Amino acid sequence: MAGKEKPKIIIDKNQMRTWCRAMRSQGKTIALVPTMGYLHDGHLSLIEEAHKHTHLVVVSIYVNPSQFAPSEDLSTYPSDFEGDIRKLMAVPGGIHVVFHPHNLYDYGVDAAVEFGGNGGGSDGRAAVSSLEASGSGHETWVRVERLEKGMCGRSRPVFFRGVATIVAKLFNIVEPDVAVFGKKDYQQWRIIRRMVRDLDFSIKVVGSEIVRDADGLALSSRNVHLSPEERQKALSINRSLSKAKSAAERGERNCKKLQNMMVDEILEAGGRLDYAEIVEQESLEVVEEIKSPVVFLIAAWFGKVRLIDNMEIKL
Amino acid sequence: MAGKEKPKIIIDKNQMRTWCRAMRSQGKTIALVPTMGYLHDGHLSLIEEAHKHTHLVVVSIYVNPSQFAPSEDLSTYPSDFEGDIRKLMAVPGGIHVVFHPHNLYDYGVDAAVEFGGNGGGSDGRAAVSSLEASGSGHETWVRVERLEKGMCGRSRPVFFRGVATIVAKLFNIVEPDVAVFGKKDYQQWRIIRRMVRDLDFSIKVVGSEIVRDADGLALSSRNVHLSPEERQKALSINRSLSKAKSAAERGERNCKKLQNMMVDEILEAGGRLDYAEIVEQESLEVVEEIKSPVVFLIAAWFGKVRLIDNMEIKL
């Protein structure tokens, strides 16, 4: 499809599956790029990556309530659907379908979704993450039990359960050949790869490199909430990762020392640290001394905004 | 395929998927009947049911280690592959493929499966249900959090987690249009239906009625382990269900009374009760007074054999 044409917008999951199956029966391969909308150049780079792998590209735009705890920022998560469509039309090669479902946890009259927690926004959004009470609402969750434990899993208790589950649902609806995820969400990317392996999904999961602004800040939909001053402080994330990476490349192998470097940089800038970790790339297990490929990861708060970033080190 | 022809036997999961996709591209629909082998007339009735729904029938024979706790009977679970093939050939309409994988939790050299617990048999079987330690072994589990809690979930802690996960894997390998499960495993059947709904699998889950021997005992691969005396005692299961069902049909609505009827019958026969419950059919929630369709379920031990059975009551 030419980039300047408006993509097909599908809101119904059965219609989405029907379209994909019709395309597949014509011999077309399909890539899925799952997003929560409010697209930036990072997302657009995922789409460009997707075009390298398949004939057709489907972008899903769905703010998944089940990955937000009631205390988290579901109700303020930014959105701009019309803006997203314009950006998608400008991507080289365009995209073919935007899958934009209303509520993927609503299974009809007999199975009303019971929304737990508060988190409800004026647009009807509500966290669907604490549904264990009773009734016939959604209750099936995919857990990647080891990889989900550390880092973001510690501070966001339902996050990866929600992510793995919504991705499994999207995989079953779209049935793509390829799915593209950003390596900015490194732990998420590893979790999805593991889920695909362990549940025998026939899908190739591609990780796409982090895109940063000119000042070094990794692109994120949440950056829009940063004040100019907070944004200035948040540049410490990239700085701390680069510093530790350089030190490691110059021969520092002691992770405690490298970690302290990262921590100091964030705290000096006035950030509130969630974690600064050095872990093995595949298993995400904490490393004390660098002997094999690792990744440096940081999560930190600047004002009310929690940001994450990471750098892989191949020695 | 004619019933007298030997079905195609596939052991490799990629080959299995390739076959199914080739068939689907020719417009054929596929039913999957998942089994753990040692087939009896109950299984064969599932296959007959499957033939009503699709062009092709795939039967999987795989003793799933992840649904057995280390203390359970994985190593003594009966098997007779050659006998199974003969029985499958005799089913009216036959079957098209037997999927008989060796180990669906082995992901290659870099991801050796770490077997937890004891439970290992001489044929290399080992429970794969307690893998949370470390490393790159299987770690993704599908949980149906409410429905898995009661009844068999109480006495078999990893059972439904293992069942839901292996069924999700088989669904992703075979990608069937229809899957047939026996209603003898009532809670399992409800869990699979819920999983399919909640994870948006595009699969119709059909429940097939319980098949009983002439003496009333529900068919089960485990019946082979009963001594003649134990089998005689085990008939109390069907008797107790029938008795409670008749009482309910005659107007008894008090579940405590009905439950006591069932319990007494089992204990008088010398069985060791695991549970006797009356629950709502869809939600499996315990009912105090019968007002809507319920199901009576029993699990009890006779010697070293644990048996389950149930009867639905539509009032």
Side-chain angles (χ1 to χ4, degrees), chain A residues 99-119:
Chain A
F99 179 47
H100 186 51
H102 177 60
N103 180 353
L104 286 177
Y105 298 90
D106 180 3
Y107 303 103
V109 184
D110 292 338
V113 178
E114 297 142 55
F115 290 111
N118 43 32

Side-chain angles (χ1 to χ4, degrees), chain A residues 13 17 21 24 104-105 107 110-111 114 131-149 161 165 168-170 172-173 175-177 191 194-202 282-283 285, chain B residues 13 17 21 24 104-105 107 110-111 114 131-149 161 165 168-170 172-173 175-177 191 194-202 282-283 285:
Chain A
K13 63 184 177 186
R17 186 184 285 119
R21 290 191 169 186
R24 186 162 305 105
L104 286 177
Y105 298 90
Y107 303 103
D110 292 338
E114 297 142 55
L131 285 177
E132 281 93 312
S134 70
S136 54
H138 183 95
E139 60 169 300
T140 306
W141 301 104
V142 179
R143 309 290 300 258
V144 182
E145 294 194 353
R146 280 195 297 265
L147 293 179
E148 75 173 24
K149 274 200 171 75
R161 184 185 79 158
T165 302
K169 286 164 73 70
L170 289 169
N172 283 336
I173 293 168
E175 302 172 330
D177 303 281
I191 283 173
R194 185 60 54 96
M195 175 186 82
V196 162
R197 185 199 75 174
D198 286 359
L199 297 186
D200 289 305
F201 279 102
S202 173
E282 186 89 28
S283 68
E285 278 169 22
Chain B
K13 64 184 177 186
R17 186 184 284 120
R21 289 191 170 186
R24 186 160 306 105
L104 287 178
Y105 299 90
Y107 304 102
D110 292 338
E114 299 142 55
L131 284 178
E132 282 92 312
S134 70
S136 53
H138 183 95
E139 60 168 300
T140 306
W141 301 103
V142 179
R143 310 290 301 258
V144 182
E145 295 194 354
R146 279 195 298 266
L147 293 180
E148 75 173 23
K149 275 201 170 73
R161 185 185 77 157
T165 302
K169 286 165 71 73
L170 289 169
N172 283 336
I173 293 167
E175 302 172 331
D177 303 282
I191 283 173
R194 185 59 55 94
M195 176 186 82
V196 162
R197 185 198 73 173
D198 285 359
L199 296 186
D200 289 305
F201 279 103
S202 175
E282 186 88 27
S283 69
E285 279 169 21

Side-chain angles (χ1 to χ4, degrees), chain B residues 222-264:
Chain B
R222 289 187 172 96
N223 291 353
V224 70
H225 292 312
L226 293 167
S227 71
E229 198 191 340
E230 285 164 350
R231 186 181 170 104
Q232 211 45 46
K233 293 178 179 178
L235 301 182
S236 62
I237 300 182
N238 180 38
R239 236 176 14 243
S240 76
L241 288 168
S242 301
K243 212 165 166 177
K245 183 178 176 176
S246 303
E249 283 168 351
R250 283 194 314 272
E252 182 59 77
R253 294 287 177 273
N254 183 309
C255 290
K256 196 71 217 158
K257 284 187 190 163
L258 293 165
Q259 202 178 15
N260 286 341
M261 262 180 228
M262 296 196 282
V263 171
D264 290 347

Side-chain angles (χ1 to χ4, degrees), chain A residues 68-268:
Chain A
F68 291 82
S71 61
E72 292 177 346
D73 62 347
L74 173 61
S75 61
T76 60
Y77 198 87
S79 76
D80 174 16
F81 189 68
E82 288 311 311
D84 289 345
I85 298 297
R86 278 195 303 275
K87 288 173 191 162
L88 292 172
M89 287 166 66
V91 177
I95 66 150
H96 302 84
V97 171
V98 175
F99 179 47
H100 186 51
H102 177 60
N103 180 353
L104 286 177
Y105 298 90
D106 180 3
Y107 303 103
V109 184
D110 292 338
V113 178
E114 297 142 55
F115 290 111
N118 43 32
S122 57
D123 55 352
R125 285 186 197 168
V128 70
S129 53
S130 38
L131 285 177
E132 281 93 312
S134 70
S136 54
H138 183 95
E139 60 169 300
T140 306
W141 301 104
V142 179
R143 309 290 300 258
V144 182
E145 294 194 353
R146 280 195 297 265
L147 293 179
E148 75 173 24
K149 274 200 171 75
M151 299 189 288
C152 289
R154 272 199 306 275
S155 49
R156 305 191 66 187
V158 301
F159 181 63
F160 289 120
R161 184 185 79 158
V163 166
T165 302
I166 193 67
V167 170
K169 286 164 73 70
L170 289 169
F171 283 179
N172 283 336
I173 293 168
V174 174
E175 302 172 330
D177 303 281
V178 169
V180 184
F181 289 83
K183 285 165 82 170
K184 182 177 145 290
D185 301 304
Y186 197 87
Q187 191 175 7
Q188 167 178 289
W189 174 58
R190 288 293 180 187
I191 283 173
I192 298 302
R193 282 175 70 97
R194 185 60 54 96
M195 175 186 82
V196 162
R197 185 199 75 174
D198 286 359
L199 297 186
D200 289 305
F201 279 102
S202 173
I203 296 169
K204 183 180 177 187
V205 178
V206 174
S208 194
E209 297 304 326
I210 298 173
V211 179
R212 301 170 188 286
D213 263 330
D215 59 8
L217 190 67
L219 297 189
S220 163
S221 301
R222 288 187 173 94
N223 291 353
V224 69
H225 292 312
L226 293 167
S227 70
E229 197 191 340
E230 284 164 352
R231 186 181 172 104
Q232 210 46 45
K233 293 177 179 177
L235 300 182
S236 61
I237 299 181
N238 179 39
R239 230 168 28 235
S240 75
L241 288 167
S242 301
K243 212 165 166 178
K245 183 179 176 174
S246 303
E249 284 168 351
R250 283 194 313 271
E252 182 59 76
R253 293 286 177 273
N254 182 310
C255 290
K256 197 70 219 159
K257 283 186 190 165
L258 294 165
Q259 203 178 15
N260 286 341
M261 261 179 226
M262 295 197 283
V263 171
D264 291 348
E265 193 75 33
I266 301 290
L267 298 183
E268 274 165 29

